[in-house]
Amino acid sequence: MSQHLAVFDFDGTLADSFDAFLVCLNEAAKRHGFRGIAPDATEEPRKMSGRQLMDHLGIPFWKVPAIAVDMRQRVLEHIDMVRPFPGTAEALRAIADRGTALALVTSNSREAVHTVLGAETLALFAQVHCGASLFGKRFKLQELLWSNRLKPQQVVYVGDEIRDAEAAAAVGVGFLGVAWGFTRAAEFQQYCRHPLLERMEDLPAAIAEVLPG
């Protein structure tokens, strides 16, 4: 393992999956009895944290595990709607070529990740953790620190949601937020120490700056 580790979220960070998420969420809403999100009413939800969104949709916490399992299956049914953001493979390879190890932490399934990224890009990751719970990413980050015997300052997490920033802060690792994901930039920036990244091609340089030497 490298002395530095860059950990990535998947949906909204590496994969353009919002349209598929919206379709799957509204399908799941009918089955599990919570409010959906109309295609023309996405602006406010994209300003919310994970917990705020749950309240907005009327999802009780005890229903979250069952909904998460259902959503993972529905994403596979609509996987043709999901694509990597342009430049994803090139950015990840550039980071790996600099000697930084890569890890992936996602609530999505490994099958979905493999289908979207492809075997060659997925092989760049030293570790892939799928099926993380909605608010369980902090524990996955802590596990990565322990298992790789790394200090928090040797790790940076890259994500697109407020809960990603909160997970990184909870374990003390660096965080880089992207402006092209689920959460709207103006609200997201308040949770990010560094300026949000506007372009995928900026990722390698930004990670090198956060993880110098």
Side-chain angles (χ1 to χ4, degrees):
M1 172 61 69
S2 164
Q3 291 185 344
H4 293 129
L5 180 65
V7 186
F8 292 87
D9 170 55
F10 178 68
D11 290 289
T13 302
L14 302 180
D16 187 358
S17 57
F18 181 76
D19 290 343
F21 165 79
L22 197 61
V23 169
C24 295
L25 182 75
N26 288 332
E27 290 178 353
K30 295 176 182 178
R31 177 178 179 182
H32 297 277
F34 61 89
R35 286 187 294 276
I37 301 174
D40 60 351
T42 62
E43 193 61 29
E44 283 305 309
R46 297 183 81 164
K47 297 177 181 178
M48 298 176 182
S49 68
R51 295 183 188 278
Q52 289 171 333
L53 183 59
M54 284 176 57
D55 290 342
H56 177 74
L57 299 178
I59 300 176
F61 199 80
W62 63 269
K63 279 191 176 183
V64 170
I67 293 171
V69 171
D70 190 11
M71 287 285 289
R72 279 194 287 272
Q73 182 57 44
R74 291 179 188 277
V75 168
L76 287 174
E77 295 171 2
H78 298 284
I79 200 65
D80 59 318
M81 298 177 66
V82 184
R83 295 287 186 274
F85 285 106
T88 293
E90 293 81 359
L92 293 174
R93 184 167 297 281
I95 295 163
D97 286 347
R98 291 184 178 186
T100 298
L102 308 183
L104 187 70
V105 174
T106 177
S107 56
N108 219 319
S109 67
R110 189 179 183 96
E111 184 177 354
V113 171
H114 183 276
T115 301
V116 173
L117 294 183
E120 185 175 350
T121 299
L122 190 58
L124 295 171
F125 291 90
Q127 294 172 288
V128 177
H129 295 269
C130 297
S133 63
L134 184 61
F135 299 107
K137 289 187 176 180
R138 61 177 293 184
F139 302 109
K140 291 296 184 181
L141 291 175
Q142 188 65 69
E143 181 182 330
L144 284 168
L145 288 173
W146 289 337
S147 63
N148 295 300
R149 299 181 180 180
L150 295 172
K151 298 177 181 178
Q153 59 267 33
Q154 294 174 287
V155 178
V156 62
Y157 182 37
V158 184
D160 73 304
E161 295 186 58
I162 293 170
R163 65 190 175 110
D164 294 325
E166 291 175 336
V171 298
V173 303
F175 182 74
L176 290 171
V178 303
W180 55 77
F182 183 91
T183 309
R184 291 304 187 201
E187 284 70 29
F188 195 24
Q189 184 63 75
Q190 301 174 43
Y191 294 84
C192 304
R193 175 184 174 187
H194 302 282
L196 296 183
L197 298 175
E198 300 285 346
R199 306 182 307 165
M200 183 67 73
E201 54 262 41
D202 294 333
L203 258 176
I207 288 177
E209 185 173 345
V210 174
L211 298 175

